[in-house]
Amino acid sequence: MPPPVFRFAPSPNGFLHLGHAFSALMNFESARRGQGRFLLRIEDIDAARCRPEFEAAIYQDLAWLGLSWETPVRRQSEHLADYRAALDRLAALGLLYPSFESRAEIAALVNAREMDGGWPRDPDGAPLYPGTAKSLAATERERRLRSGAPFALRLDMEAARRLAGDLTWIERGSGPDGETGEILARPEAWGDVILARKDIPTSYHLSVVIDDALQGVTEVTRGQDLFRSTAVHRLLQEILDLPQPVYRHHDLIRDAEGKKLSKSSRAIGLRELRSGGMTTAELRSLVGLP
Ligand code: GLU
């Protein structure tokens, strides 16, 4: 049996907090226990929010936690050709369409529908894409593409579901409602997700799936906030003939008010804790690790 491959995949758009420490330690220690490999991946496709100083801080904070990882580290921004190749395959299957709306236009469409009796939301609470770009006449689509109008590429969810059939994944952790074991994937709950953003020819969903496959990741251990996204990941794996890892979604570390820690809220940063004199042993006990 080849060794299991684990990964920790932070985005350098802020300093790591306690929740990241928990996830990184879980991955690193599971790899060590299972005589597996531990990879670090920098998910830096969001050029507006990612910064080199945050990436440098990730390495420092993880080293302080006692982690070591294989090099070179995969940086998503350096592999756009891999994502483009996947988009080409999806396009050849007729599963993508360009959507030209601005955020404001989408918000207005959602508002109108909400006033009209409600509009469905995705599992993260964002309204599903309400646009009509999928049914644009071919000539109009061509005209807009030729005019150089910016566009995102969306997955035709209905067609993708039809092609892939029913899908499940193996969950060794649990979802927010305690779901565990073999989970039925419901990617349709996300609607026609964006696979290539207007500003960069990929998206979180696409690059995470391609990278996990290219890096040979066999175990995806990450926060429960990504449990429901796994349905989209399974769908893309199936359509692109990629192997499926085993998933383990873990509890999120919450702040004193019970809210999920985030880089933007006043989450407790590892740097602050470190400079405040906390030891790694104290940090482990704070996040409930032995
Ligand atoms: N880059 C994502 C984050 O920082 C994690 C992606 C994943 O583990 O699948 O939340």
mmCIF file of all heavy atoms in Angstrom, residues 7 9-11 43 204 208 222 226 263, ligand 1:
data_model
loop_
_atom_site.group_PDB
_atom_site.id
_atom_site.type_symbol
_atom_site.label_atom_id
_atom_site.label_comp_id
_atom_site.label_asym_id
_atom_site.label_seq_id
_atom_site.Cartn_x
_atom_site.Cartn_y
_atom_site.Cartn_z
ATOM 1 N N ARG A 7 -2.688 16.830 3.532
ATOM 2 C CA ARG A 7 -2.256 18.191 3.177
ATOM 3 C C ARG A 7 -2.960 19.221 4.044
ATOM 4 O O ARG A 7 -4.066 19.004 4.542
ATOM 5 C CB ARG A 7 -2.511 18.454 1.688
ATOM 6 C CG ARG A 7 -3.911 18.139 1.113
ATOM 7 C CD ARG A 7 -4.989 18.935 1.665
ATOM 8 N NE ARG A 7 -6.180 18.992 0.839
ATOM 9 C CZ ARG A 7 -7.196 19.815 1.094
ATOM 10 N NH1 ARG A 7 -7.189 20.574 2.170
ATOM 11 N NH2 ARG A 7 -8.243 19.834 0.329
ATOM 12 N N ALA A 9 -3.942 23.276 3.571
ATOM 13 C CA ALA A 9 -4.010 24.161 2.392
ATOM 14 C C ALA A 9 -4.533 25.551 2.749
ATOM 15 O O ALA A 9 -5.634 25.923 2.351
ATOM 16 C CB ALA A 9 -4.902 23.498 1.334
ATOM 17 N N PRO A 10 -3.753 26.324 3.470
ATOM 18 C CA PRO A 10 -4.237 27.652 3.861
ATOM 19 C C PRO A 10 -4.165 28.670 2.723
ATOM 20 O O PRO A 10 -3.401 28.497 1.768
ATOM 21 C CB PRO A 10 -3.254 28.059 4.971
ATOM 22 C CG PRO A 10 -1.983 27.366 4.601
ATOM 23 C CD PRO A 10 -2.379 26.068 3.954
ATOM 24 N N SER A 11 -4.961 29.713 2.839
ATOM 25 C CA SER A 11 -4.897 30.841 1.911
ATOM 26 C C SER A 11 -4.146 31.977 2.606
ATOM 27 O O SER A 11 -4.498 32.335 3.731
ATOM 28 C CB SER A 11 -6.305 31.329 1.558
ATOM 29 O OG SER A 11 -7.020 30.289 0.950
ATOM 30 N N GLU A 43 -2.946 28.344 -1.101
ATOM 31 C CA GLU A 43 -4.093 28.600 -1.982
ATOM 32 C C GLU A 43 -4.224 30.111 -2.194
ATOM 33 O O GLU A 43 -4.972 30.797 -1.501
ATOM 34 C CB GLU A 43 -5.345 27.962 -1.377
ATOM 35 C CG GLU A 43 -5.149 26.450 -1.186
ATOM 36 C CD GLU A 43 -6.400 25.612 -1.310
ATOM 37 O OE1 GLU A 43 -7.465 26.074 -0.881
ATOM 38 O OE2 GLU A 43 -6.298 24.484 -1.838
ATOM 39 N N TYR A 204 -11.935 28.387 -6.211
ATOM 40 C CA TYR A 204 -11.600 27.502 -5.095
ATOM 41 C C TYR A 204 -11.945 26.047 -5.444
ATOM 42 O O TYR A 204 -11.099 25.151 -5.326
ATOM 43 C CB TYR A 204 -12.337 27.935 -3.812
ATOM 44 C CG TYR A 204 -12.395 26.810 -2.801
ATOM 45 C CD1 TYR A 204 -11.224 26.338 -2.210
ATOM 46 C CD2 TYR A 204 -13.594 26.190 -2.480
ATOM 47 C CE1 TYR A 204 -11.246 25.273 -1.324
ATOM 48 C CE2 TYR A 204 -13.632 25.127 -1.590
ATOM 49 C CZ TYR A 204 -12.460 24.662 -1.016
ATOM 50 O OH TYR A 204 -12.497 23.602 -0.159
ATOM 51 N N VAL A 208 -8.914 23.237 -5.908
ATOM 52 C CA VAL A 208 -8.716 22.293 -4.804
ATOM 53 C C VAL A 208 -8.813 20.848 -5.324
ATOM 54 O O VAL A 208 -8.035 19.968 -4.933
ATOM 55 C CB VAL A 208 -9.724 22.600 -3.668
ATOM 56 C CG1 VAL A 208 -11.054 21.919 -3.862
ATOM 57 C CG2 VAL A 208 -9.181 22.247 -2.312
ATOM 58 N N ARG A 222 -10.077 18.612 6.992
ATOM 59 C CA ARG A 222 -10.269 20.071 6.995
ATOM 60 C C ARG A 222 -11.496 20.411 7.829
ATOM 61 O O ARG A 222 -12.219 19.528 8.280
ATOM 62 C CB ARG A 222 -10.411 20.571 5.548
ATOM 63 C CG ARG A 222 -11.598 19.981 4.823
ATOM 64 C CD ARG A 222 -11.631 20.387 3.354
ATOM 65 N NE ARG A 222 -12.753 19.734 2.676
ATOM 66 C CZ ARG A 222 -12.935 19.738 1.379
ATOM 67 N NH1 ARG A 222 -12.081 20.351 0.579
ATOM 68 N NH2 ARG A 222 -13.988 19.116 0.855
ATOM 69 N N LEU A 226 -16.311 23.210 5.315
ATOM 70 C CA LEU A 226 -16.184 22.797 3.919
ATOM 71 C C LEU A 226 -16.890 21.469 3.635
ATOM 72 O O LEU A 226 -16.822 20.951 2.520
ATOM 73 C CB LEU A 226 -14.698 22.725 3.533
ATOM 74 C CG LEU A 226 -14.016 24.107 3.544
ATOM 75 C CD1 LEU A 226 -12.509 23.985 3.425
ATOM 76 C CD2 LEU A 226 -14.578 24.998 2.445
ATOM 77 N N LYS A 263 -10.296 35.027 9.634
ATOM 78 C CA LYS A 263 -9.146 35.924 9.583
ATOM 79 C C LYS A 263 -9.580 37.368 9.738
ATOM 80 O O LYS A 263 -8.813 38.225 10.104
ATOM 81 C CB LYS A 263 -8.403 35.729 8.270
ATOM 82 C CG LYS A 263 -7.629 34.440 8.265
ATOM 83 C CD LYS A 263 -7.117 34.110 6.890
ATOM 84 C CE LYS A 263 -6.371 32.796 6.902
ATOM 85 N NZ LYS A 263 -6.366 32.157 5.605
HETATM 86 N N1 GLU B 1 -7.834 27.217 1.371
HETATM 87 C C1 GLU B 1 -8.969 26.814 2.145
HETATM 88 C C2 GLU B 1 -9.040 27.647 3.420
HETATM 89 O O1 GLU B 1 -8.056 28.264 3.807
HETATM 90 C C3 GLU B 1 -8.937 25.354 2.548
HETATM 91 C C4 GLU B 1 -9.231 24.475 1.420
HETATM 92 C C5 GLU B 1 -9.368 22.997 1.757
HETATM 93 O O2 GLU B 1 -8.840 22.511 2.755
HETATM 94 O O3 GLU B 1 -9.999 22.300 0.959
HETATM 95 O O4 GLU B 1 -10.080 27.693 4.019
#
